Amino acid sequence: MNERLEDRQVAEEPIIVVDYDPAWPLHFERERAQIAAALGELARTIDHIGSTAVPGLRAKPVIDILIGVDRLNRVDEFAARLASLGYVHRPHDDDDVRLFFRKGTPRSHHLHIVVYGGVEHVRHVRFRDILRADPGTARDYAALKDALAARFREQREAYVDGKADFVTGVLARAENEDRHE
């Protein structure tokens, strides 16, 4: 498919949040095994992140996967190895801290490739773990996503920005609590 057409189709996909699907962890495990085989020694860790990784949490039906690697400067090698699984690299301004790949139209999977143990790696895993451990924060996050999806169904950037502000606030509170323990 023409990349520009694919980009336009993804940008035009409405933002829809659905009830938790108990099959999401199974989809992740199946995909994790394929990614591990494709990337081999390049992947230090492969984690299920995002709302689909939190039992009971409403989410966009897209499996978010975080891959920890030693170095990001192998984007061409990552792209070549992941292409056979249907992943396409989507360059972003923040490619120096995170590489983003997506699969499918409509999208079924997102890959975030980050430096293992780096700020982005820790941040993603920590937020997922907070959502799993704190039902109140998970409920607040689900309510925010529902409200953002209803308000910005066709404005992907505004939806993402609203979620990013929430994540930043939750992580700042957790860091503050860690310092006072």
Side-chain angles (χ1 to χ4, degrees):
M1 177 183 299
N2 179 314
E3 279 193 41
R4 287 195 173 129
L5 175 59
E6 183 179 308
D7 286 342
R8 193 170 54 251
Q9 287 174 330
V10 167
E12 293 171 359
E13 285 177 13
I15 298 165
I16 299 169
V17 178
V18 300
D19 287 335
Y20 179 79
D21 184 339
W24 287 339
L26 301 173
H27 294 308
F28 163 73
E29 284 301 329
R30 206 168 321 139
E31 198 70 14
R32 186 202 59 71
Q34 292 177 4
I35 292 167
L39 291 181
E41 75 290 347
L42 294 177
R44 290 193 60 187
T45 59
I46 303 173
D47 291 295
H48 190 186
I49 60 165
S51 299
T52 61
V54 181
L57 189 61
R58 290 175 50 78
K60 289 186 311 178
V62 178
I63 306 300
D64 272 309
I65 301 172
L66 182 71
I67 301 173
V69 299
D70 290 325
R71 298 186 324 270
L72 291 182
N73 65 350
R74 299 174 87 163
V75 65
D76 292 338
E77 189 171 1
F78 298 139
R81 291 186 184 202
L82 293 168
S84 65
L85 301 178
Y87 286 97
V88 177
H89 175 233
R90 304 312 321 153
H92 282 268
D93 291 340
D94 64 351
D95 271 0
D96 57 332
V97 295
R98 173 183 70 114
L99 302 173
F100 181 72
F101 288 77
R102 68 174 182 234
K103 179 179 183 175
T105 304
R107 289 172 293 160
S108 60
H109 296 79
H110 290 165
L111 294 183
H112 306 265
I113 299 180
V114 299
V115 173
Y116 173 78
V119 172
E120 288 297 310
H121 184 257
V122 170
R123 203 170 170 265
H124 277 85
V125 172
R126 180 102 194 256
F127 184 68
R128 179 212 50 209
D129 291 349
I130 289 169
L131 290 178
R132 285 179 173 172
D134 183 353
T137 299
R139 273 191 308 275
D140 291 347
Y141 190 51
L144 172 71
K145 289 189 312 177
D146 282 336
L148 290 171
R151 184 170 175 205
F152 300 116
R153 189 166 304 277
E154 307 296 330
Q155 300 170 34
R156 188 163 304 281
E157 215 171 297
Y159 174 81
V160 169
D161 289 346
K163 286 187 353 177
D165 290 345
F166 182 89
V167 171
T168 299
V170 166
L171 291 173
R173 282 191 302 279
E175 188 175 307
N176 189 37
E177 289 171 8
D178 289 347
R179 274 188 252 142
H180 290 98
E181 285 184 350

